[in-house]
Amino acid sequence: PVKTWAEMPPPATNEEVLFPSEDESAGYVAIGWRTHAYNEFQDRAVAGLLWSYLTDSAASPLTEAFVESDDAVCSGVYPSANTYAQGSQELWFDDCEASALDDVEGMFIDVIKAEVEKGVDLERMHDVIGLERRKYLSAIEDQPGDTLLDTMIHHFIYGDRDGGDVEESKQLREALDFLASLDKAKKELDGPAWTELLRTSILEAPRVCVVGRPSAKLGRDMPAQEKARTEAQAKELGPAKLKEKADLFDNADKTNNVPAPEEVLTSLAVPDANKVPLFPLTTVRSLAPDHTPKVLPNADSDPKKGKKILKAVESGKGKGTVPFAAVQGDHLASEFIRLTCGMDTSVLTPLQRLYLPLIDEVFFKQAVLDEQGQQVSHTDVVNALERELVSYWSAIGYSGGSFANGSFGQYFFVVLKTERGKLATATKWLRRSLWQIQADPDRLRVGANKLLSEIPAEKRSGSGMCSAANKALNFDPLNSNHGACAALRQRRFLKRTLRRLEKEPEVVLAEINACREAYIQPANMRLQVAGDLTDVASGIYDSLNDVVNFTPPLVSAGVGPTAGLIATEPPRVATAAHTSELKQRPREERGLIMGLSALENSYMSRAAPGLKYGHPDEPALGTMIEYLTALEGPFWVEIRGKGLAYGSSLINREEQGLLNFGLYRSVDPTAAYDAAKSIVLEFADGTRKLDASEFDNAKGSLISGYLEAEGSKSAAFKQGMFNFYRGTRADYNRNGIANVLAVTEDQALAALRTHLVPLFMAGTSTTVAAVPPNKLSQVTEHFRKVEADAPDAATAIKEVPEAELGTVFPLLGIDLDPEDEEEDEDEDEFDDGAGGAGGVMAA
């Protein structure tokens, strides 16, 4: 058969593309090449290694030149390989300074030329190959299906079947044997060979460059252009044709909503979810002050293995002091060891809390003192981390981003993963990153500039701005990390920090060191060791105590905790610093409707108090939410099915204590909200009835979520850790499955009336939306009508033009000097897009 997707596109040329944005400070650049055919497996693997060498860490040539230097012009450099019959390679430069957009391609060529002249560092290339091997083996352990299926699907589409079954199976085996490709590359290619590939496949190969340039003018013109287009189309079609099209749509909608036959929905037997096996995770936990190890009850774990692990842990505890607040070991057969350290940041002052994103950004990119007291440069640190570990990262909240905290956002996490048998390597790097770093104003300056370069993209993100505004309304702006890390608040603070680094670097260093010392203390740490504990259980306390054991040269250098060495009490359950508990500066408004010129569609989030972990209504509410939001369920049919929004969501966020309704890429957010509200109220008053088959399907879908949460070894280890932080039992997911199975229709409807109805009522929720500027007034007025019956109706909903976004995120908790006030005025001009060039699209 003819494969139309296998045909080659015509040659491309350089091009400039404008995109709407009131903020014209940063754009994008992409460079592309045509590369290897599908069946050139070794060449494709070698090309991937070459790009990893150039970009995979802060010490890589392209990343160092474009991102991690005083002359940085963008926030990140990312390669992307596309597998087709004839493949392609892209290199993306994100958040580039607008003034440098036209120079990026030339700068890239200069860096590659310099690397060709210098020659590829074979030792570092071998480190890259070693890391790719460890990452691949880790992926095979955690996600064997995803890792292998992509290759098999590509083979199905692009594989050569002309040689018969034997030849095709040989080709498929070669495609799947990535480790053999790595071994061959390491064995056969020396430094000059890699350098020649760099020259021929990147420097001299034909390429195309596309520049994405922000344009405030385009953002202002597009609404009028779209209005003119629709009016012209309506005029061209005429009333009769428009009615014909409307009838066609209505008939299609009716046909699409015809329910599937009951016998089809019930034809497959439903398995007993209670019998679906989960990973047999064995958890041993000890808490300050005495750290008596205990095995946590878990019906899926092996009792004999639990006793064996516990006995080994107890034998190694000895009489030594364990300084940490808590230690947890999670055991499964695995070829890797994960070490996770979580530190509560609740002790920080408002000023210290504002430093957290910068501390996180430079966490693994600073010089350290080694155990002999000798300084190791930041590039050598990065190269050593890449050489010795599988992965490493820090975050504010588990898996959080620069300006959006992850789970348990009041905690600062450090996570290191290494091969089995190398726990000492992980503890060494944890100790070094916590206490042996050598803070440097230059690295802080680079980190602050990198964070600043990411903020224009954050401001253009409808979902990101909705999330930030939602947290501004629902979390304490002074004492929660959610408040301190907001991108637009950080923009002011980072600029202030850069100015102070020039004038008083020693003061900034002292403030950052004080922040680190406040929360980086053994008594404030929860440590988790996860992996195969068979060989390490008896020495787990000795290994973890190595985190706070310092060699004489380091002690002489004053390295180590300054206070609070020993934990005297167990850690408390993590808090989200939710407004209901900690809010200190109540906002006058409960709703923020923001106009963003970069948007063509709208985003929205409405929030009300939700259920915390362990609430008795949690299973029933979860089942009702799943029913409403299921594929082809009520929200899908009435919102997505009718073209009101690309997506909608309804989520109970237990850790945050919030219940959220959200809209994603909505062409009509007011109609979509009204549709969701009508659905909920109709179920509440009995106008709509639950369908028994769909109700069972909703329970099954919710249960599959519990199972997916432990769908891999790493996921099971993460759940073990999450149980630790949220204060739930080790068999939380297993109990959740049983509880969902027991939910009745009456219980689900009762949960809807109690918890979901207030989400859509006046005076009981907060509302945020990010919309195109031409819809700002309309959406604001609609939600003012929604809140008309609320006691605070006069101030409930605030309209926020793009130029006033900064007022939503004022810089709080610090003493501002006159220059800070001037900076605020400059920010208002910046939000207005003043002084930016419109640009012209290239022909």
Side-chain angles (χ1 to χ4, degrees):
V2 175
K3 301 178 181 179
T4 56
W5 58 84
E7 297 177 0
M8 290 295 294
T13 58
N14 286 9
E15 188 172 348
E16 178 178 283
V17 178
L18 301 184
F19 63 89
S21 175
E22 197 71 20
D23 178 352
E24 295 183 326
S25 64
Y28 304 88
V29 175
I31 304 176
W33 298 258
R34 286 183 182 161
T35 55
H36 305 287
Y38 165 75
N39 59 0
E40 295 173 335
F41 304 114
Q42 184 63 27
D43 291 336
R44 287 167 49 203
V46 165
L49 291 169
L50 195 56
W51 283 111
S52 293
Y53 176 91
L54 292 170
T55 63
D56 69 347
S57 75
S60 301
L62 288 174
T63 306
E64 189 172 31
F66 282 89
V67 183
E68 299 289 342
S69 72
D70 288 331
D71 300 321
V73 296
C74 66
S75 68
V77 183
Y78 307 105
S80 175
N82 303 304
T83 302
Y84 306 115
Q86 186 74 34
S88 67
Q89 175 71 48
E90 300 165 6
L91 185 66
W92 286 83
F93 299 81
D94 283 0
D95 308 315
C96 294
E97 293 179 5
S99 60
L101 286 172
D102 294 326
D103 302 325
V104 166
E105 184 181 12
M107 295 166 64
F108 164 76
I109 294 303
D110 289 342
V111 173
I112 300 301
K113 282 182 177 178
E115 285 300 307
V116 169
E117 292 175 6
K118 183 171 62 174
V120 169
D121 181 341
L122 187 61
E123 181 180 357
R124 184 170 173 273
M125 178 58 80
H126 286 174
D127 289 342
V128 169
I129 294 173
L131 177 60
E132 290 298 321
R133 167 180 281 276
R134 296 192 296 275
K135 287 163 64 176
Y136 181 78
L137 290 172
S138 176
I140 286 292
E141 179 176 288
D142 276 338
Q143 299 171 315
D146 292 346
T147 304
L148 299 176
L149 281 175
D150 280 352
T151 300
M152 298 176 75
I153 291 170
H154 287 148
H155 175 78
F156 178 78
I157 298 174
Y158 304 116
D160 183 4
R161 297 181 177 82
D162 294 338
D165 293 345
V166 174
E167 184 62 32
E168 184 181 356
S169 64
K170 178 182 176 183
Q171 186 184 75
L172 180 56
R173 284 197 301 272
E174 188 179 352
L176 291 168
D177 199 352
F178 181 62
L179 294 180
S181 296
L182 295 180
D183 292 340
K184 187 175 181 180
K186 184 175 182 179
K187 181 180 180 181
E188 296 184 356
L189 297 177
D190 58 11
W194 283 108
T195 303
E196 180 64 10
L197 280 170
L198 181 62
R199 183 180 64 80
T200 57
S201 66
I202 296 178
L203 183 61
E204 297 177 354
R207 63 182 179 272
V208 64
C209 180
V210 177
V211 172
R213 190 180 302 279
S215 170
K217 182 177 184 300
L218 183 62
R220 293 189 290 270
D221 291 347
M222 281 180 64
Q225 292 171 354
E226 179 62 13
K227 181 180 180 181
R229 184 193 67 80
T230 54
E231 289 176 350
Q233 188 174 19
K235 183 177 180 180
E236 180 182 348
L237 290 172
K241 199 69 174 178
L242 285 172
K243 184 178 184 306
E244 179 185 330
K245 298 290 185 184
D247 292 341
L248 184 66
F249 175 86
D250 290 339
N251 290 333
D253 185 50
K254 290 176 183 177
T255 302
N256 185 59
N257 291 330
V258 173
E262 186 71 16
E263 58 270 20
V264 172
L265 299 176
T266 58
S267 60
L268 296 176
V270 178
D272 185 348
N274 280 319
K275 295 181 180 179
V276 177
L278 297 175
F279 280 102
L281 188 71
T282 296
T283 299
V284 178
R285 182 183 298 169
S286 70
L287 304 176
D290 60 351
H291 275 280
T292 301
K294 296 180 181 179
V295 175
L296 303 190
N298 184 353
D300 290 283
S301 64
D302 180 352
K304 292 183 179 179
K305 176 62 73 173
K307 290 180 180 178
K308 186 176 180 180
I309 296 292
L310 177 62
K311 185 177 180 180
V313 171
E314 289 175 331
S315 71
K317 185 171 182 291
K319 297 181 181 179
T321 301
V322 180
F324 309 108
V327 171
Q328 177 165 311
D330 286 302
H331 169 80
L332 282 175
S334 173
E335 293 302 312
F336 301 92
I337 285 284
R338 300 131 178 102
L339 175 60
T340 300
C341 176
M343 295 162 283
D344 192 348
T345 63
S346 299
V347 297
L348 299 183
T349 66
L351 171 61
Q352 291 172 340
R353 196 173 304 282
L354 288 165
Y355 276 120
L356 284 176
L358 181 55
I359 290 173
D360 177 42
E361 173 59 36
V362 301
F363 198 81
F364 286 112
K365 303 174 184 177
Q366 301 177 92
V368 303
L369 291 180
D370 66 15
E371 284 61 45
Q372 287 70 49
Q374 300 299 308
Q375 181 160 309
V376 182
S377 71
H378 77 276
T379 54
D380 287 341
V381 166
V382 172
N383 286 332
L385 287 164
E386 299 280 306
R387 184 185 313 119
E388 298 180 23
L389 300 173
V390 178
S391 61
Y392 58 93
W393 51 269
S394 64
I396 307 162
Y398 194 84
S399 295
S402 299
F403 309 111
N405 305 155
S407 301
F408 313 106
Q410 287 297 95
Y411 276 74
F412 190 97
F413 286 91
V414 184
V415 182
L416 306 106
K417 183 175 182 179
T418 189
E419 294 167 289
R420 179 178 176 176
K422 296 184 178 180
L423 178 58
T425 301
T427 57
K428 175 186 74 175
W429 281 110
L430 180 58
R431 182 185 65 250
R432 285 181 169 184
S433 64
L434 294 177
W435 285 294
Q436 294 169 224
I437 67 104
Q438 299 294 288
D440 175 12
D442 290 339
R443 297 308 303 157
L444 293 172
R445 189 178 301 109
V446 169
N449 278 317
K450 181 178 181 297
L451 289 173
L452 279 170
S453 70
E454 296 173 5
I455 290 176
E458 290 286 326
K459 186 182 168 188
R460 297 182 191 123
S461 168
S463 57
M465 288 304 299
C466 272
S467 177
N470 180 52
K471 290 170 182 175
L473 293 177
N474 287 288
F475 292 88
D476 180 357
L478 290 174
N479 296 315
S480 81
N481 294 338
H482 290 303
C485 296
L488 295 188
R489 182 168 288 126
Q490 278 292 313
R491 185 173 69 186
R492 286 174 161 83
F493 181 71
L494 290 167
K495 289 187 174 183
R496 177 180 186 269
T497 300
L498 284 170
R499 188 170 60 248
R500 294 178 65 221
L501 279 170
E502 293 297 326
K503 292 184 176 181
E504 46 185 12
E506 68 287 344
V507 177
V508 175
L509 283 177
E511 290 175 352
I512 290 177
N513 287 334
C515 174
R516 288 176 56 94
E517 290 171 5
Y519 74 92
I520 300 178
Q521 295 294 340
N524 191 39
M525 292 179 180
R526 302 179 183 216
L527 293 177
Q528 181 207 34
V529 178
D532 193 324
L533 303 184
T534 305
D535 300 327
V536 301
S538 61
I540 195 168
Y541 288 112
D542 286 342
S543 296
L544 294 180
N545 281 345
D546 188 48
V547 175
V548 291
N549 287 336
F550 304 94
T551 59
L554 291 175
V555 174
S556 299
V559 171
T562 56
L565 183 62
I566 306 298
T568 58
E569 59 183 23
R572 57 196 177 104
V573 175
T575 173
H578 185 253
T579 39
S580 62
E581 299 169 3
L582 293 175
K583 187 146 187 171
Q584 295 181 355
R585 189 187 67 88
R587 296 186 67 91
E588 186 178 39
E589 65 277 352
R590 285 185 295 101
L592 298 167
I593 313 300
M594 303 169 289
L596 299 183
S597 59
L599 299 183
E600 295 182 48
N601 295 309
S602 300
Y603 299 76
M604 181 214 146
S605 178
R606 192 160 166 100
L611 305 185
K612 296 291 188 72
Y613 294 109
H615 192 286
D617 289 351
E618 190 181 6
L621 178 61
T623 302
M624 194 67 234
I625 287 174
E626 198 67 39
Y627 184 97
L628 293 171
T629 59
L631 183 69
E632 298 295 343
F635 278 19
W636 175 284
V637 170
E638 298 296 330
I639 297 175
R640 177 167 175 149
K642 293 188 175 178
L644 300 179
Y646 185 80
S648 62
S649 62
L650 195 56
I651 303 172
N652 179 49
R653 304 183 189 277
E654 293 95 339
E655 187 241 325
Q656 296 182 2
L658 290 177
L659 187 60
N660 282 108
F661 167 72
L663 294 173
Y664 172 76
R665 288 172 57 185
S666 174
V667 296
D668 193 342
T670 57
Y673 169 82
D674 289 345
K677 178 179 179 179
S678 295
I679 291 168
V680 170
L681 295 184
E682 286 168 8
F683 275 113
D685 66 18
T687 304
R688 282 183 183 246
K689 306 293 183 183
L690 292 174
D691 178 88
S693 294
E694 292 179 9
F695 188 74
D696 287 341
N697 289 339
K699 292 165 74 172
S701 179
L702 185 57
I703 288 169
S704 72
Y706 280 106
L707 297 174
E708 184 63 27
E710 297 190 25
S712 68
K713 291 181 180 180
S714 283
F717 289 135
K718 186 174 82 168
Q719 285 303 307
M721 187 197 66
F722 276 22
N723 288 327
F724 196 8
Y725 282 86
R726 62 196 177 197
T728 52
R729 292 166 50 96
D731 53 3
Y732 174 79
N733 282 347
R734 174 62 71 192
N735 287 336
I737 291 171
N739 292 336
V740 169
L741 286 172
V743 171
T744 66
E745 293 185 11
D746 287 343
Q747 289 172 330
L749 289 171
L752 176 141
R753 296 185 186 100
T754 303
H755 305 292
L756 291 182
V757 168
L759 181 61
F760 295 92
M761 293 291 99
T764 55
S765 300
T766 59
T767 305
V768 297
V771 303
N774 63 320
K775 293 186 176 180
L776 180 58
S777 296
Q778 171 206 339
V779 175
T780 301
E781 287 307 312
H782 181 86
F783 282 103
R784 282 176 176 164
K785 291 178 182 177
V786 168
E787 297 293 335
D789 295 332
D792 61 347
T795 58
I797 304 296
K798 180 180 179 179
E799 181 177 303
V800 186
E802 191 160 6
E804 298 175 15
L805 282 176
T807 64
V808 178
F809 306 97
L811 194 54
L812 304 171
I814 60 177
D815 295 327
L816 300 179
D817 57 35
E819 286 179 285
D820 294 326
E821 301 294 346
E822 293 174 10
E823 185 72 57
D824 280 351
E825 294 177 7
D826 292 342
E827 294 292 346
D828 292 337
E829 293 180 7
F830 180 71
D831 282 332
D832 248 337
V840 182
M841 184 174 291

